[in-house]
Amino acid sequence: MNRTILVPIDVSDSDLTQRIVSHVESQARIDDAQVHFLTVVPSFPYYASLGLAQSGQLPSMDDLQREAISKLEEIVARFQIPDDRKQTHIAEGSPKDKILELAKTLHADLIILASHRPDISTYLLGSNAAAVVRHAACSVLVVR
């Protein structure tokens, strides 16, 4: 029996990624799981909703995606998982929505993701990890 594991990666936060490496590797050994790594490039409206930048200040979406997939492939290479059992994905949009969408498409058995320590902003606004936990159709391992 092969399990399917989805591992969303924030390529801009290496500390979060480092926290999940051992968890992903140990879960991948169980039943020779297929591991799908995902990075999500937030769309321009998402950036704007956070008040981070105006669209004229940001590089093109194609440039952002090329940089993100390159970083993701570098990160995935560090995981001790056979190459034939790992795959990379990139998506554009709301991170929580794209994580849930790919998990459903893949019929994922498990999602493993890192989360920041909760603070008042995530208490009031919610977080990607919290949304994934609430809405996923499969088990979710949140690593802090």
Side-chain angles (χ1 to χ4, degrees):
M1 173 183 169
N2 284 355
R3 292 186 319 148
T4 301
I5 299 172
L6 175 59
V7 183
I9 300 283
D10 180 348
V11 297
S12 67
D13 194 332
S14 61
D15 290 339
L16 284 180
T17 301
Q18 194 56 41
R19 291 184 207 162
I20 65 168
V21 171
S22 64
H23 297 282
V24 172
E25 290 174 348
S26 65
Q27 287 294 320
R29 283 191 289 272
I30 300 171
D31 298 325
D32 296 325
Q34 289 294 123
V35 183
H36 294 262
F37 294 89
L38 168 68
T39 192
V40 179
V41 178
S43 59
F44 292 130
Y46 181 79
Y47 281 119
S49 72
L50 297 175
L52 296 177
Q54 295 182 5
S55 62
Q57 297 172 312
L58 294 172
S60 74
M61 185 53 68
D62 288 341
D63 291 341
L64 289 172
Q65 288 182 345
R66 272 192 296 278
E67 184 178 340
I69 197 70
S70 175
K71 286 182 179 179
L72 180 62
E73 288 170 353
E74 287 175 21
I75 291 166
V76 169
R78 293 185 281 190
F79 285 79
Q80 300 299 309
I81 299 169
D83 288 342
D84 64 332
R85 292 195 359 241
K86 57 186 175 182
Q87 185 173 351
T88 58
H89 304 267
I90 188 166
E92 174 192 343
S94 163
K96 61 183 174 272
D97 293 339
K98 295 302 176 180
I99 293 166
L100 292 167
E101 185 179 299
L102 185 58
K104 185 176 182 178
T105 300
L106 296 172
H107 303 287
D109 299 298
L110 176 64
I111 301 170
I112 302 174
L113 67 143
S115 178
H116 294 97
R117 297 264 180 221
D119 62 14
I120 191 65
S121 67
T122 57
Y123 179 78
L124 294 174
L125 300 174
S127 69
N128 290 318
V132 170
V133 168
R134 275 193 305 275
H135 300 288
C138 63
S139 296
V140 179
L141 172 60
V142 179
V143 179
R144 292 205 175 146

